[in-house]
Amino acid sequence: MNDEKRLLKIFLSPHISEKSSISSEKFNTVVIKVPMYVTKSDVKKVVQNLFKVQVSNINTLIIKSRKLRKNGRIGYSSSWKKVYITLKKGQNLNFIGHEE
């Protein structure tokens, strides 16, 4: 039961950028921010069970923290992970809420 609750909380938010919107139109790919502990198999299991779609490929990318300056002080942004989920042809995963 504890493992199921953990898997349901793996999607933090959709990552919306120019590159992600182009990849969603051309390659049927969805980009999502996830916690650092999530694996590819976890993502595939949750997407297929929760949204009832077939996943073709999953790629992950870790965005490293970087140095930030504000008002003469130095700080760091936090690291995060994003996941590129490629769906099979004919499958659709709608996070944003617009219809095609």
Side-chain angles (χ1 to χ4, degrees):
M1 184 71 176
N2 192 13
D3 190 45
E4 291 177 8
K5 287 182 181 180
R6 182 183 71 89
L7 289 178
L8 289 176
K9 295 180 181 181
I10 67 170
F11 297 138
L12 297 179
S13 66
H15 181 68
I16 300 171
S17 66
E18 187 174 353
K19 181 180 177 181
S20 66
S21 63
I22 290 172
S23 67
S24 69
E25 293 172 3
K26 287 188 177 181
F27 306 113
N28 203 16
T29 302
V30 178
V31 184
I32 301 171
K33 291 182 183 180
V34 295
M36 294 291 281
Y37 63 84
V38 174
T39 62
K40 289 181 182 183
S41 60
D42 291 342
V43 172
K44 186 173 184 177
K45 187 188 316 180
V46 170
V47 168
Q48 288 183 345
N49 290 338
L50 192 62
F51 298 106
K52 307 294 187 225
V53 294
Q54 295 297 315
V55 176
S56 172
N57 191 16
I58 294 179
N59 294 323
T60 59
L61 179 67
I62 295 176
I63 308 298
K64 300 285 185 184
S65 63
R66 58 190 176 117
K67 188 184 289 188
L68 302 173
R69 291 177 189 239
K70 186 173 183 181
N71 296 333
R73 296 183 183 190
I74 296 175
Y76 290 91
S77 65
S78 58
S79 298
W80 55 282
K81 183 187 270 190
K82 68 179 169 179
V83 177
Y84 291 89
I85 302 171
T86 305
L87 303 174
K88 291 186 177 179
K89 285 190 176 182
Q91 301 289 318
N92 188 12
L93 184 61
N94 189 3
F95 272 117
I96 301 169
H98 71 282
E99 292 293 325
E100 295 179 15

